[in-house]
Amino acid sequence: MIEKKGLSIVIPVLNEGNNIHILTNKITHNLKKLNYEIIFVDDNSSDTSIKILDKLEKKYKFFKPIYRKKVRDLTQSCFDGINKSEFKDILIMDGDMQHDPKYILKMLKIYKKYDCDILVGARPLVKGPNQGLSEVRRYASNLLIFLFSIFNIKTSDPMSGFFIFKKKIYLKNKKFYFGEGFKILSDILINSKQDLKVKDFIIQFKRRYSDKSKMNFKVLLILIKFYLSSLFKKL
C-alpha cells in the first residue's frame, strides 16, 4: 500500500464539547496550505461533543470523526484514529486546547528537515513560568520522566501528548505496544523494536479550558502497570 503525503491529525476527546469547534477553527486557520485531515476520536462522550462532531463532518470534507462505544481509553482512541488515517505522517494532540495549533507547521518543518521518526512537542519542565502547567503537574511529570529514564528515551518529555511521527512505525510495531492508558508516546518510544530518530521542539502549554483533569487513581494504576510491563521486557 502506497502511503499518501499529508498529515493526519488525530485528536482523542472525551466531553470536550466546548473546545471541539474552537480547536477545529484554529487548526484550519493555521494549516491553510497543507494537505491534511482531522480525526477526532470521541471516547463515548456524554456532553454535546457528538452533536458538534456531526455538524463539522457535514461542513468539512477533511473532517473524519470516530465514535467509540468501547471501554474508554486514550491510547486505544489514538490507535483507532491512526488505523483510519490516510496519510503517512501522524500528529497526535489533545482536545482540551492546551496544545496550540500555531506550532504544527513549525513542528512539521523541523520533522521533515531532520527526517525524524518522531518530533516531540516538549514542555519546558524546569522551574519557572509555564502558563498551562501547574507546579504539581510539573513535579509529577519530572518524577515520571525520572522513572522512565531507565529506558534511555531520546526526548526530554516522554509524557507529552503532542507529537508527529511516521505511521509506518506504528504499523510495524503495534503488536509490541502496551496499548492502554494516557501515555501513548512513551509506549511508542519504549516498545518499538527499532532505533528511532527523535527530536524535541519546545512548546508552551496553554491553560486548560476544562476544569477536569485526566489524572485519577485508575489512570495512575494503568501507568504503573505500563511501567512495570515495560521494565519486565527490558530485563
Side-chain angles (χ1 to χ4, degrees), residues 120-175:
V120 181
R123 301 163 296 175
L125 296 171
V126 295
K127 190 172 183 178
N130 189 357
Q131 192 175 9
L133 198 63
S134 68
E135 283 299 288
V136 173
R137 289 190 68 195
R138 184 178 68 82
Y139 280 120
S141 293
N142 278 321
L143 175 60
L144 290 169
I145 289 169
F146 172 75
L147 292 174
F148 279 90
S149 63
I150 191 174
F151 302 107
N152 297 316
I153 295 174
K154 302 173 184 177
T155 174
S156 64
D157 190 7
M159 302 301 152
S160 174
F162 192 23
F163 59 98
I164 304 173
F165 69 105
K166 295 177 180 176
K167 182 178 179 179
K168 64 181 181 182
I169 293 171
Y170 167 79
L171 296 175
K172 185 175 181 179
N173 295 281
K174 61 182 179 179
K175 64 183 178 181

Side-chain angles (χ1 to χ4, degrees), residues 90-127:
I90 308 291
L91 169 70
I92 303 291
M93 67 185 299
D94 289 346
D96 60 7
M97 301 296 294
Q98 287 199 294
H99 299 149
D100 197 327
K102 73 179 183 180
Y103 292 120
I104 296 176
L105 286 181
K106 296 176 184 178
M107 291 172 66
L108 199 56
K109 183 177 180 180
I110 295 174
Y111 170 78
K112 291 181 177 180
K113 178 181 179 180
Y114 293 97
D115 191 27
C116 301
D117 292 312
I118 303 177
L119 191 284
V120 181
R123 301 163 296 175
L125 296 171
V126 295
K127 190 172 183 178

